[in-house]
Amino acid sequence: MPKPSLSTSDEPVAAPAPKRPVVDAQNISLTFDTADGRVEALSNVNLQVVEGEFVSFIGPSGCGKTTMLRVIADLQQPSSGTLTVNGMSAEGARLARSYGYVFQAPALFPWRTIEKNLKLPLEIMGYSEIEQQQRVERYLSMVNLTGFERKFPWQLSGGMQQRVSIARALSFDPPLLLMDEPFGALDEIVRDHLNEQLLQLWKSTGKTALFVTHSIPEAVFLSTKIVVMSPRPGRIIDIIDCDFPADRSLEIRETPEFLKVAQRVRNGLRAGHSYDE
């Protein structure tokens, strides 16, 4: 008599392991003392970001988007609240080099070639010359700038310079990438192209990314989650999940699903009275 076959169809399927929290902000507030008095920049911000997410911050000028990014980077300290980054304090994460930071301007040294600009953090961290060279080649290839190693920043376009900045931020392989409106000064055609490239880069590296922008289409196209902020004092009005396919292209911006998310972002900004200024 044949033995009964073993069937696994009724066996419970193991749930995927929960993703590791990368940023956990609880009741973060920040007040500046200025010559004109106290300025409340952030008020009771609560936010959790897990591994592999692409989170965009959007809101009117002066709402605290960049301030929140700087608090996460330990470039500014909150007045109250608690914050962990990669399971450490923000200061600990900074000292452990747990993040790469891309500023609004490329911040490249004009007297150093692209190769040497990319090597700068690696030199500071004590990487060997061989490892530095390998990383330069790897990350310039990732941002499609192979062959530009010996050029100087002033010989590159603005978009190319920002791609160098992104490569430099990734060069020491941090788990977290912080980006403060890196494409805001670029024209729309270049910006669209870099959005596509950044999306591919994020997919290929698996990094967690926090991204500041003023552009609704940019936020919706890039993100897995959008954080909508109010005018000062900066508060979170809405957190919107974006469940678009990983292999999306710019054409998705014309779909009803995309427009629905964009309208929700727009409604959140209006609810925060961002157009009343």
Side-chain angles (χ1 to χ4, degrees):
M1 183 175 179
K3 293 182 180 179
S5 61
L6 296 176
S7 172
T8 59
S9 59
D10 295 329
E11 294 179 2
V13 178
K19 292 188 176 181
R20 181 177 62 89
V22 175
V23 175
D24 187 5
Q26 300 289 333
N27 299 314
I28 294 294
S29 296
L30 193 153
T31 302
F32 295 106
D33 288 315
T34 71
D36 297 324
R38 295 171 68 83
V39 175
E40 193 175 6
L42 296 171
S43 177
N44 293 316
V45 173
N46 293 282
L47 179 66
Q48 290 77 44
V49 178
V50 300
E51 189 174 23
E53 285 192 302
F54 194 115
V55 179
S56 288
F57 295 83
I58 190 167
S61 296
C63 75
K65 303 183 298 297
T66 293
T67 299
M68 189 62 199
L69 208 67
R70 290 175 61 84
V71 167
I72 292 169
D74 193 45
L75 301 178
Q76 290 179 265
Q77 285 69 46
S79 305
S80 62
T82 60
L83 174 67
T84 60
V85 181
N86 289 316
M88 301 173 274
S89 67
E91 180 184 22
R94 174 177 58 80
L95 295 175
R97 301 179 176 119
S98 292
Y99 66 82
Y101 203 112
V102 181
F103 296 89
Q104 293 180 22
L108 302 174
F109 292 110
W111 59 87
R112 293 179 71 116
T113 62
I114 298 308
E115 178 182 70
K116 289 184 177 180
N117 266 285
L118 203 61
K119 285 182 176 180
L120 183 58
L122 305 176
E123 293 172 2
I124 294 171
M125 295 178 191
Y127 285 87
S128 69
E129 183 60 36
I130 293 175
E131 180 71 7
Q132 289 180 37
Q133 196 60 42
Q134 290 173 341
R135 287 174 178 262
V136 166
E137 292 172 4
R138 181 188 315 158
Y139 289 101
L140 283 182
S141 175
M142 276 190 180
V143 297
N144 297 318
L145 286 176
T146 299
F148 289 86
E149 295 86 352
R150 304 301 170 84
K151 300 291 186 183
F152 288 91
W154 50 269
Q155 295 176 300
L156 274 59
S157 68
M160 294 168 77
Q161 289 182 35
Q162 278 296 33
R163 282 151 60 191
V164 175
S165 294
I166 294 170
R168 182 177 59 188
L170 290 170
S171 65
F172 52 95
D173 200 27
L176 178 62
L177 185 61
L178 306 177
M179 307 182 75
D180 185 8
E181 204 171 356
F183 308 142
L186 304 176
D187 66 68
E188 187 173 0
I189 295 173
V190 173
R191 188 171 186 152
D192 283 351
H193 179 60
L194 291 180
N195 279 178
E196 288 186 303
Q197 288 195 322
L198 178 58
L199 189 64
Q200 293 297 322
L201 188 66
W202 169 69
K203 284 165 51 183
S204 66
T205 61
K207 301 295 183 187
T208 306
L210 303 185
F211 187 89
V212 169
T213 181
H214 281 102
S215 168
I216 294 175
E218 183 172 66
V220 179
F221 177 70
L222 289 173
S223 308
T224 60
K225 181 186 292 182
I226 302 171
V227 177
V228 184
M229 297 188 69
S230 71
R232 187 182 298 122
R235 295 172 291 106
I236 293 179
I237 297 172
D238 198 4
I239 298 178
I240 304 166
D241 290 323
C242 298
D243 299 321
F244 299 120
D247 58 349
R248 57 193 177 271
S249 65
L250 289 172
E251 284 68 32
I252 200 172
R253 297 184 302 184
E254 307 303 321
T255 64
E257 295 80 9
F258 187 98
L259 296 174
K260 182 179 179 181
V261 176
Q263 187 59 46
R264 181 172 166 183
V265 175
R266 196 169 287 109
N267 290 342
L269 293 171
R270 287 173 177 159
H273 307 293
S274 61
Y275 300 122
D276 292 346
E277 297 181 348

